[in-house]
Amino acid sequence: MGKLIFWITCLIFLFESDVNGQCPDKEALQNHIVYITANYIRKVKPPPEEQMAILLGYLKKINDCPWRNDSTHSSLLRVIGRSYFLQADYIKSAQYYRQCIKMITENAGSPSLKMSHLVACYYWLSVCYDALNNYSEKIKALDSCASVAVRLNYTDRATLKAIESRVEYSFDIGDYHRCIEYALKWEGLGLEYAAKNTGEEKDAGERNVSSSIGWRVKALLRLKEFGEAETILAGKAGEYKKKRLKNYLGMTYGQLAQVQELKGNYEKALSYYNTALKYYEEDGDYFNCKQTAKDIGYNIYFRHYADAGKALASYSKALGYINKDKYRNLADSFETMNIFSNIGKIYARRGAYDSAFKYFQLAFSQVKAGSNEEDILQTTPQEMTRFKKNYYLTGLVIDKGDAYLKKYTVSKQQEDVRRALRIYKVADRLLDRFKAEQAEMESKLFWRSDTRRLYESAVEACYLSGNTTDAFYFFEKSRAVLLSDQLNEQRWLGEGDIMQQTQLKKRMLLIKNEMDTIERSSARYKELQSALDENRMKLEDLLDNIKLKNPLYYQSFIDSAVISVTDVQQKILKNHQALVELFTGNNFVYTLVITPGTINISRVDKPAYAGLTDTCLKYISDNELLNRGYTNFINASGKLYEIIFKNTAIPPGRIIISPDNRYFPFEALVTAKSNNSNRYFIEDYAVSYTYSARYLLNQFAGSTAKSGLGNFLGMAPVHFRYSAAARLPALRGSDQSLHRVKNYFSNASIAVAGEASKYNFGKQFFKNRIIQLYTHATDSGVNGEPVIYFADSLLFLSDLMYENKPATSLIVLAACKTGTGKLYEGEGVFSFNRGFAALGIPSAITNLWSVNNESTYRVTEFFYKHLSEGLPTDVALQKAKLEFIRTVSKENSLPYYWAGPVLAGRADVIQLSRPFPWKWAALLSGAAMVCLFIWVWQAKRKGAG
């Protein structure tokens, strides 16, 4: 009866308000909002028609009120949005939440407005988008919710729920570094919420802290960072036991089991898994019971003990757990999918292929009934963002391909290997799509490494079936894809877009660097976190705008990574004898050799290859060791040449090599041995290296600078006296070498001593066709990344960001170890030559080890002499090294002195203007003047006669 009277009163008030044309009574409106909100909490819903008539009537009149755009106004918009949501009208609900967000942001700073209302608006907007299956907008709304909460230092249940959803989403798409970042933010907000509340709300904050730690550990374990994970987990079991939190105890013991597994302690891991399972069962968490039983079956019994029977028993037990949490139904179906996939692997290993493919099909049906890998690939981007744990799905596709490959080794039926290769191509394209959703480069690099087995299986299938065309496809897709993406992005983006991106990324890098040096609990850390969120949102908005302007933007990333053997033979090998690509797998090293008329694939045992390359590099990079063990080096180098090229005869000339691992100087391979002398690879071949074949087909854009373009810029700090480089020896003679090199160029400039600064380098390098650096470098600086030393400070690899389209065709880094860095499987070595390549500089000459100064100067000067004669870059470097060998003593002609510098990238002729020959011009002018004087004198004599 009381509710009826209340509603009648509201309707009468609305009627009178409408008749009188006056704004509604503010207190009555506030009471109405409080009443409806209380009903939401009690889950009592008033009649929708009456409710909406009253609320919309209020909103119609409120625009004429002097107190509009205040907290009462925003509360009304939120209540209307919530009401439409309860009626399942998600479009209108989202419309009113967006209206509320717009009103609050446009009136920010008003004392009558609660900015904290933004947090709930963004959270419920994300819920609306989730209901509409618009997951990209959902994620943006969640990001905004968390960002606003941090900026306002405000946390409520909506904030915590929003950031939890963001953490889970980042984990599902494989963006593990972003997952960790959000989990740390979630932990901080949870601690704050617990600290400022009591009772149930305090408990809620503490539960959020525990959950955030659990997700952070999950991401660390996926990244195989078990040391950090173990440190975080230390003491957590005891803490949760005191609080009797069985669910978190199950989570902790399950994660401790994974740590022990990564450390190789399988018996202890099994014990922890069983303890986790016990706590989950006691808590009634059957979703996590299923996960844990599955992990026991796969991680312990299948992978380690190879006990198929016990593994299958564990999977059967896992399938027996029925999830009772409706919010986990989707995640539960993906766990079931993963279990069926694992069962299929067991049957494939046993050779029971019909059973294997039956279970693979059951796995696919968990995504959509009757679907297969092709159907998954056709899934829309919106649908795909709903997938849980993408690595389950890619693993399923690869496992199915592996089953067909294993079947082929027995059946020898071409249809089996064709199916395997088709499935591997689907898996590769799925990886491309998942990669596009990841934001952090570190996560993309992890995925490239983690899915390495796809390309190894595909290459093996091509080798066994003699399918060289598909072999080239998978060779190419196994290397430097992210570098291709960076270069492809530069073609699609305008100069303004690139500058905005770079500025935002630089700000974010500076912020992250500072955050790494201060306590997470400090006020400054919170300020930096807010600034980081703000810049990240600006960057994501910028990328969204780019997508809108370029509908084919992301499709181009997939298409640009595919080139054909014909492309290589007709475009890349016009002036070369061969392209040699290497793929390093777990068991074999595969070599693919393409010549203008042939293509051949071969393989050698990896232990033999790795042993010989390690031996050669050990000797060649150490002068004293090479002198003592020269015979050992010659034997190892000769054997390495034989196993790589035993099945392929390449005519002398220019050759391109694409390694997928660390660089090895092929120029130092011994191709023939004799008592008097040994013949090196360099005597027959001009060698250049490339990140991939498709890299060579990039259209590198020239600089957009209007003036000040030069042919040559040389820099030599000579001395390094600042604190970070105080122990570096001076590079005496480098300045004089620069002066000699300068004579080969017109419009050339050099900077020595204090002028050879990082600042001047950044201002000038992109305006010059060729850059020469004589300096020190290391492949692992203070923060573990490659670094180059200038006169004033350090240049880290991460400092290289795209700001201007460079005119530079070649950069010569005559410094130690500029061609080395951290190896990322599937992408190659992240060294300075790759860093400059990502900026759009097509070629770089770098050093693979610490090289003697004098030999460096001589080889460099010989190189520029031949380059200025109009020779291609690789031929100029070959002739420089051969001239060095001919003109030095026998001891100094060892490969240690000349094999270190290698050319990575394009090997084109660089069109340069030769310096004007002033000396010869003066001599000719003088001779002409003398001749003219003689002619005039003789003419006068004749006239006088």
Side-chain angles (χ1 to χ4, degrees):
M1 187 68 179
K3 291 180 184 178
L4 180 60
I5 293 171
F6 181 88
W7 282 105
I8 292 171
T9 303
C10 290
L11 287 169
I12 292 171
F13 175 82
L14 176 63
F15 175 78
E16 289 178 347
S17 176
D18 186 57
V19 170
N20 297 328
Q22 298 172 352
C23 66
D25 179 75
K26 188 173 185 178
E27 185 177 352
L29 174 56
Q30 289 172 341
N31 288 336
H32 191 179
I33 291 171
V34 169
Y35 173 77
I36 294 175
T37 304
N39 276 339
Y40 288 158
I41 295 171
R42 294 195 301 268
K43 298 183 180 180
V44 177
K45 302 175 186 177
E49 297 83 2
E50 297 175 13
Q51 175 185 323
M52 294 312 301
I54 296 170
L55 295 176
L56 293 172
Y58 278 132
L59 188 62
K60 182 178 179 181
K61 293 296 181 180
I62 206 170
N63 290 323
D64 297 324
C65 293
W67 47 264
R68 68 185 183 278
N69 298 332
D70 69 348
S71 293
T72 303
H73 190 175
S74 68
S75 295
L76 176 60
L77 290 168
R78 288 166 55 207
V79 165
I80 293 174
R82 181 70 168 142
S83 298
Y84 275 120
F85 185 87
L86 292 173
Q87 296 175 47
D89 192 340
Y90 305 121
I91 294 177
K92 281 190 176 179
S93 178
Q95 173 189 333
Y96 282 99
Y97 280 120
R98 286 197 302 266
Q99 188 177 335
C100 185
I101 290 167
K102 184 173 184 291
M103 187 267 286
I104 295 173
T105 53
E106 287 180 351
N107 295 278
S110 170
S112 63
L113 197 61
K114 288 184 179 179
M115 295 298 294
S116 59
H117 284 186
L118 267 179
V119 176
C121 283
Y122 275 120
Y123 173 70
W124 282 105
L125 182 61
S126 77
V127 175
C128 291
Y129 285 133
D130 183 69
L132 292 166
N133 291 329
N134 190 339
Y135 290 94
S136 60
E137 289 300 322
K138 170 190 171 181
I139 295 305
K140 288 171 66 175
L142 290 173
D143 280 345
S144 297
C145 177
S147 178
V148 169
V150 171
R151 186 170 73 246
L152 298 177
N153 195 25
Y154 173 84
T155 307
D156 62 3
R157 289 283 193 105
T159 310
L160 297 172
K161 187 63 180 174
I163 198 166
E164 177 185 7
S165 299
R166 193 61 174 93
V167 167
E168 186 174 358
Y169 174 78
S170 298
F171 186 88
D172 285 340
I173 65 171
D175 204 344
Y176 302 119
H177 289 84
R178 181 65 64 87
C179 176
I180 291 168
E181 188 178 314
Y182 275 107
L184 286 168
K185 190 191 300 184
W186 183 17
E187 181 183 355
L189 293 174
L191 287 168
E192 287 182 13
Y193 193 75
K196 70 182 182 182
N197 285 290
T198 59
E200 185 180 335
E201 294 305 303
K202 181 181 180 67
D203 292 342
E206 291 177 348
R207 286 196 300 273
N208 275 272
V209 171
S210 297
S211 295
S212 70
I213 292 171
W215 279 101
R216 178 154 56 111
V217 172
K218 283 178 73 171
L220 287 168
L221 291 171
R222 282 294 299 156
L223 294 169
K224 299 179 175 62
E225 299 286 351
F226 67 85
E228 187 176 349
E230 188 173 27
T231 300
I232 294 170
L233 291 171
K236 287 296 175 188
E239 176 187 334
Y240 296 146
K241 279 180 182 177
K242 287 181 182 178
K243 296 179 180 180
R244 298 181 180 179
L245 299 174
K246 294 180 180 179
N247 188 275
Y248 291 112
L249 274 168
M251 175 189 71
T252 301
Y253 277 108
Q255 292 175 339
L256 285 169
Q258 292 178 62
V259 169
Q260 294 303 319
E261 178 199 335
L262 288 168
K263 294 170 73 173
N265 301 328
Y266 292 96
E267 289 187 11
K268 197 168 186 179
L270 180 57
S271 173
Y272 280 146
Y273 273 132
N274 284 323
T275 303
L277 189 58
K278 180 192 75 170
Y279 282 116
Y280 281 135
E281 286 177 340
E282 290 177 2
D283 194 53
D285 186 349
Y286 299 122
F287 171 78
N288 276 308
C289 285
K290 175 183 282 189
Q291 276 192 318
T292 306
K294 178 204 71 178
D295 289 342
I296 292 172
Y298 184 73
N299 297 341
I300 304 298
Y301 291 125
F302 180 77
R303 284 206 311 191
H304 177 63
Y305 291 117
D307 189 329
K310 287 187 176 180
L312 286 171
S314 294
Y315 295 149
S316 178
K317 182 177 181 179
L319 291 170
Y321 290 109
I322 307 301
N323 173 54
K324 294 182 179 180
D325 183 350
K326 66 178 182 178
Y327 296 106
R328 285 174 161 176
N329 282 344
L330 182 62
D332 184 71
S333 66
F334 273 78
E335 290 300 324
T336 303
M337 179 190 77
N338 189 231
I339 293 169
F340 283 140
S341 177
N342 290 343
I343 294 173
K345 287 175 71 172
I346 288 178
Y347 283 113
R349 179 176 288 186
R350 288 176 167 180
Y353 298 108
D354 288 344
S355 296
F357 295 127
K358 168 190 167 185
Y359 279 100
F360 289 141
Q361 185 54 56
L362 285 171
F364 280 113
S365 292
Q366 299 305 306
V367 182
K368 186 178 179 181
S371 65
N372 60 21
E373 63 278 356
E374 294 284 357
D375 299 319
I376 300 297
L377 188 61
Q378 300 307 316
T379 303
T380 66
Q382 287 294 340
E383 291 174 316
M384 193 166 281
T385 54
R386 297 187 66 205
F387 292 165
K388 312 300 289 184
K389 300 180 181 175
N390 286 343
Y391 61 93
Y392 282 176
L393 192 54
T394 55
L396 166 60
V397 178
I398 296 169
D399 289 341
K400 184 176 176 181
D402 286 348
Y404 275 112
L405 175 59
K406 190 172 187 299
K407 185 183 177 189
Y408 168 74
T409 61
V410 177
S411 71
K412 303 302 179 184
Q413 296 295 315
Q414 287 296 312
E415 181 59 25
D416 288 330
V417 77
R418 279 196 293 268
R419 285 180 176 176
L421 289 171
R422 178 187 58 77
I423 293 169
Y424 290 143
K425 285 186 178 180
V426 171
D428 172 66
R429 294 180 67 191
L430 274 175
L431 288 172
D432 282 333
R433 293 188 63 179
F434 291 147
K435 177 194 63 181
E437 294 298 319
Q438 296 168 352
E440 298 294 331
M441 175 62 80
E442 293 91 340
S443 295
K444 293 182 181 183
L445 289 169
F446 171 78
W447 266 72
R448 292 289 293 158
S449 172
D450 196 49
T451 54
R452 182 75 171 166
R453 72 182 182 99
L454 161 65
Y455 300 107
E456 181 167 8
S457 294
V459 169
E460 172 72 0
C462 293
Y463 171 77
L464 292 175
S465 60
N467 187 337
T468 52
T469 301
D470 279 345
F472 176 68
Y473 172 89
F474 288 111
F475 265 74
E476 279 293 294
K477 291 304 295 286
S478 73
R479 67 196 62 225
V481 169
L482 299 183
L483 175 60
S484 289
D485 287 352
Q486 289 173 288
L487 294 171
N488 192 43
E489 186 178 69
Q490 292 167 19
R491 290 198 297 275
W492 277 87
L493 303 187
E495 193 82 8
D497 292 331
I498 292 171
M499 286 300 294
Q500 288 183 62
Q501 269 201 63
T502 300
Q503 288 168 3
L504 289 168
K505 288 177 180 178
K506 278 194 168 183
R507 283 187 216 140
M508 291 168 66
L509 180 63
L510 290 172
I511 291 168
K512 287 180 178 178
N513 288 341
E514 186 176 349
M515 289 174 72
D516 288 340
T517 65
I518 59 178
E519 290 291 329
R520 291 209 308 269
S521 59
S522 66
R524 177 59 179 162
Y525 189 92
K526 294 176 185 175
E527 291 175 11
L528 292 170
Q529 182 69 69
S530 179
L532 183 64
D533 290 341
E534 184 178 349
N535 281 283
R536 179 181 288 119
M537 290 177 67
K538 288 180 180 177
L539 181 60
E540 290 174 357
D541 286 342
L542 174 64
L543 292 174
D544 286 341
N545 289 332
I546 292 168
K547 292 179 201 176
L548 288 174
K549 288 188 291 185
N550 303 297
L552 299 178
Y553 176 76
Y554 278 111
Q555 184 61 38
S556 69
F557 286 123
I558 298 174
D559 295 341
S560 68
V562 181
I563 66 171
S564 67
V565 174
T566 303
D567 290 328
V568 173
Q569 292 173 327
Q570 294 181 355
K571 298 175 183 178
I572 295 176
L573 297 181
K574 287 189 298 184
N575 301 306
H576 287 79
Q577 274 58 54
L579 167 69
V580 179
E581 292 196 336
L582 293 102
F583 180 94
T584 307
N586 288 326
N587 301 311
F588 300 102
V589 175
Y590 302 85
T591 304
L592 189 73
V593 179
I594 304 175
T595 69
T598 65
I599 178 171
N600 180 61
I601 185 172
S602 60
R603 75 179 187 189
V604 298
D605 288 339
K606 183 180 178 181
Y609 177 88
L612 290 170
T613 52
D614 288 347
T615 299
C616 289
L617 284 171
K618 180 180 70 173
Y619 282 107
I620 202 173
S621 60
D622 186 325
N623 182 37
E624 293 184 3
L625 189 63
L626 183 60
N627 266 305
R628 294 197 306 269
Y630 183 67
T631 301
N632 293 336
F633 164 73
I634 292 298
N635 291 333
S637 181
K639 288 179 182 176
L640 186 57
Y641 171 76
E642 289 175 10
I643 67 171
I644 294 174
F645 295 103
K646 63 182 178 181
N647 296 322
T648 306
I650 302 174
R654 301 172 68 192
I655 183 173
I656 304 165
I657 297 173
S658 177
D660 71 337
N661 210 305
R662 298 192 183 279
Y663 282 93
F664 177 86
F666 275 63
E667 296 95 319
L669 289 176
V670 174
T671 59
K673 292 184 286 185
S674 66
N675 293 329
N676 298 326
S677 64
N678 300 292
R679 190 169 188 83
Y680 292 110
F681 197 82
I682 193 174
E683 296 181 61
D684 297 306
Y685 301 101
V687 181
S688 63
Y689 300 85
T690 186
Y691 313 99
S692 64
R694 64 187 174 279
Y695 176 83
L696 301 176
L697 295 179
N698 271 292
Q699 299 299 315
F700 292 93
S703 174
T704 55
K706 302 298 182 184
S707 60
L709 296 180
N711 277 331
F712 178 85
L713 171 66
M715 303 191 86
V718 185
H719 297 283
F720 307 85
R721 297 191 175 114
Y722 54 98
S723 59
R727 296 182 180 178
L728 294 175
L731 294 177
R732 291 181 172 82
S734 58
D735 50 346
Q736 293 151 6
S737 181
L738 271 187
H739 281 286
R740 290 191 290 271
V741 169
K742 182 183 176 183
N743 293 328
Y744 292 113
F745 302 95
S746 62
N747 194 15
S749 59
I750 61 174
V752 299
E755 292 298 310
S757 65
K758 175 182 173 181
Y759 174 77
N760 285 338
F761 175 77
K763 280 177 56 180
Q764 297 296 324
F765 83 90
F766 65 94
K767 297 181 180 180
N768 290 270
R769 187 64 57 82
I770 296 174
I771 308 295
Q772 169 67 46
L773 295 182
Y774 278 135
T775 182
H776 286 292
T778 179
D779 60 354
S780 182
V782 292
N783 61 354
E785 65 174 313
V787 61
I788 292 176
Y789 295 87
F790 284 89
D792 59 339
S793 60
L794 312 176
L795 176 74
F796 289 100
L797 183 60
S798 59
D799 292 332
L800 294 178
M801 291 191 184
Y802 192 98
E803 294 187 72
N804 304 93
K805 291 183 178 179
T808 315
S809 298
L810 171 68
I811 183 163
V812 181
L813 302 170
C816 302
K817 299 183 179 180
T818 46
T820 58
K822 186 174 181 179
L823 172 65
Y824 291 92
E825 286 197 357
E827 280 301 305
V829 175
F830 271 46
S831 57
F832 268 104
N833 56 297
R834 181 181 168 119
F836 284 113
L839 300 184
I841 298 176
S843 305
I845 293 177
T846 55
N847 281 333
L848 301 181
W849 54 79
S850 300
V851 184
N852 173 272
N853 289 345
E854 291 301 322
S855 61
T856 298
Y857 302 153
R858 293 192 68 177
V859 170
T860 303
E861 290 166 26
F862 287 147
F863 166 71
Y864 284 119
K865 181 183 80 170
H866 294 297
L867 190 70
S868 66
E869 295 169 352
L871 294 176
T873 317
D874 55 344
V875 177
L877 186 59
Q878 177 198 28
K879 288 187 174 294
K881 291 180 177 181
L882 291 175
E883 186 170 356
F884 175 85
I885 294 170
R886 288 196 307 269
T887 57
V888 297
S889 66
K890 185 174 182 180
E891 179 183 350
N892 288 345
S893 68
L894 295 177
Y896 163 80
Y897 292 96
W898 53 263
V902 295
L903 170 65
R906 298 269 279 267
D908 307 326
V909 173
I910 300 176
Q911 300 296 332
L912 296 170
S913 302
R914 291 182 61 83
F916 188 78
W918 293 107
K919 180 178 177 181
W920 289 104
L923 289 172
L924 290 172
S925 297
M929 291 296 291
V930 170
C931 291
L932 180 62
F933 175 79
I934 293 171
W935 180 80
V936 171
W937 179 73
Q938 288 179 342
K940 285 182 178 180
R941 285 189 62 186
K942 288 180 181 179

